[in-house]
Amino acid sequence: MFDPRWIRENPDAFDAGLVRRGLEPLSAQVLALDKTRREAQTQAQEVQSQRNALSKQVGAAKAKGEDAAEIIAEVGALKDEHARLEEAGKTADQALKAFLEGLPNTPAADVPEGADEADNLEIRQHGHAPTFEFEPKQHFEIGEAMGRMDFEAASRLSGARFVVLRGALARMERALGAFMLDLHTKEFGYTEVSPPILVRDTALYGTGQLPKFADDLYRTEDDYWLIPTAEVPLTNLVAGSVLSESDLPVRVTALTPCFRSEAGAAGRDTRGMLRQHQFSKVELVSICLPDQSDAELERMTGCAEEVLRRLGLHYRVMLLSSGDMGFSARKTHDLEVWLPGQDAYREISSCSSCGDFQARRMDGRYRPDGEKGTRHLHTLNGSGLAVGRALIAVLENYQNADGSVRVPEALQPYMDGAEVIGGDG
RNA sequence: GGAGAGGUGGCAGAGUGGUAAUGCAGCGGGUUGCUAACCCGUCUACCCGAUAGGGUAGCGGGGGUUCGAAUCCCCCCCUCUCCGCCA
């Protein structure tokens, strides 16, 4: 959400950001609405000031036992005028807000120009793609052959884009989540949180999913929403609050199920468990001072990368182009893990700095040391990592010719020391 | 689900129609050998203004009544207690 005052002072920067997002310049429209709003507000306040003064006179007159009918009649006229002006101000204010809340965040200066993922920039790689003496299989072939990944059962229960994991694979999914949480809490200073996964409208508005992306979400009959990511409850932890500098940075992590309707992805990635309506994910969220958020994004990306390194998985880090970034982000790193079965890199983490875009929507502020007033916080979020996709990556990268799968060393302590899982796991 | 109580500044706590007491804490300033005590100031958002400064709003949220609402009326949210149900 943009600050109208910032747009007033930097209309060109505002328009440039929209253009980089593939939108039209809109500052003229915003400024016109803003002007209407302020004029109505100023006039309404002047009338109100008169009203207040006259009302005081009524009180004073009555206290003295005098007749106040004349003053009361005078105030009555002001009342209608005030109502009219206030209404005009409110209408303009709501129009401005409705306009602004649908606009995506301005890309950071170092975000590459581009229309879509084809313009993303590879920043670095780590490790090498493993070589196989045989034709590597895709994760669902491995899992189904093991008898531990059951799409038919899931389909009977819930339909397409669900999976039932059994035995060693269910165990490995749990191991992955536990391993990631331990890494982030013990080594990177994140505090583990167990948040609600049903949330209200306001929480989703705060992080930017609403009002624009309601189609991507699941809603309950009593008007809760299932979270599409733990970014929503974790970031909204600071909604409506004023922190002091000594509280910052706030670093929190959570392992939660995530629910997405995948409304725009019909027909894409239909085989396997790459794109599901429900998946679990370890999320990282940082809340920090404005001048720390650039460094925090690098740090957070490093935390997510470390998961892949410990799992011994080959990946690359992409800097998303202006056209491929999410609504609330001002800069995003994607981690893409190598999947031998697919012979492709696939997204397994996305780490974004949102600047004050979300903080403004949810009114999360801090009080600068030695300064009067408050400023909005900066928020960041990142997957650390998507657990379902991490399971896929382990299966495809650690597969053996006989259909068994080696367990990465980092995971073995979480799986009773098992080094290999196979059909009898 | 039923019945009831409540929501006022960082905290505590008054205020049932006349425009938010008071106490404590924090911060800034004054006074002052030092400390303590004491005195003054110190909320947030927005609007007008070059500045100084001025104004409007805010007592959980939103409407309404009234010249005037923390106070009266309506709707909603949240917290707590008891009962019922329940992992």
Side-chain angles (χ1 to χ4, degrees), chain A residues 1 69 78 100 142 193 199-200 217 221 245 274 302 316 319 405 413 417:
Chain A
M1 179 73 116
L78 288 179
L100 292 178
I142 302 165
V193 172
V199 297
R200 302 173 173 286
L217 305 168
E221 284 193 351
E245 285 198 25
L274 194 71
R316 61 182 188 179
L319 175 59
V405 172

Side-chain angles (χ1 to χ4, degrees), chain A residues 209-284:
Chain A
Q209 283 84 8
L210 289 180
K212 222 180 162 185
F213 305 103
D215 287 350
D216 298 332
L217 305 168
Y218 288 107
R219 189 173 205 182
T220 67
E221 284 193 351
D222 50 353
D223 295 339
Y224 289 111
W225 303 82
L226 288 154
I227 59 168
T229 159
E231 167 197 346
V232 176
L234 291 183
T235 309
N236 276 284
L237 250 20
V238 300
S241 55
V242 181
L243 306 184
S244 58
E245 285 198 25
S246 58
D247 297 328
L248 302 169
V250 172
R251 294 190 179 113
V252 283
T253 182
L255 168 60
T256 69
C258 303
F259 302 91
R260 299 186 182 178
S261 73
E262 297 296 345
R268 255 203 290 166
D269 302 318
T270 48
R271 292 285 326 255
M273 51 181 291
L274 194 71
R275 189 177 301 276
Q276 305 264 286
H277 288 310
Q278 175 190 335
F279 60 96
S280 57
K281 177 160 62 66
V282 170
E283 182 74 1
L284 304 171

